[in-house]
Amino acid sequence: MKQLIIHGDPGIRNGAIIRYGESEVVCFGINRNGEYHGPDRVQLWCTVGEEAEYEDYEKRNYTPHFLEVDRVDAEDVEVVREKADLAI
């Protein structure tokens, strides 16, 4: 599990599956930052990981401050699935 900061908005929501670099991950949670104040483009701060790690995410069986952080531009993200089946 890791924290992924996406500069820009590739159009994803919770439950999305994305590829960046050589990784294919599921977005467990997304925080949208910089909508009104802050950087010139919106930033999505995503908690991502393998599907098998979802139970640990749900039970908060991790320490958010100690997750590895990756940064990527929205143009470098390939969206496999935009959102989970039950996402609105």
Side-chain angles (χ1 to χ4, degrees):
M1 194 176 322
K2 62 175 78 171
Q3 191 77 15
L4 175 65
I5 300 173
I6 303 175
H7 299 279
D9 187 0
I12 60 172
R13 299 295 173 255
N14 286 342
I17 298 175
I18 60 171
R19 271 192 211 111
Y20 70 97
E22 296 184 17
S23 302
E24 181 172 308
V25 293
V26 178
C27 296
F28 301 139
I30 300 176
N31 293 321
R32 191 175 176 94
N33 296 313
E35 192 79 64
Y36 300 104
H37 304 289
D40 56 344
R41 296 192 313 172
V42 68
Q43 292 179 348
L44 301 181
W45 290 45
C46 310
T47 304
V48 299
E50 304 294 324
E51 278 192 55
E53 296 175 312
Y54 185 70
E55 186 175 349
D56 285 337
Y57 173 78
E58 280 285 304
K59 293 182 178 182
R60 302 286 189 227
N61 200 11
Y62 66 99
T63 307
H65 298 290
F66 296 114
L67 291 177
E68 180 184 335
V69 178
D70 285 344
R71 296 174 185 270
V72 67
D73 287 326
E75 296 82 29
D76 298 331
V77 172
E78 179 185 344
V79 178
V80 176
R81 181 178 74 185
E82 291 182 347
K83 59 185 177 181
D85 294 334
L86 296 177
I88 296 176

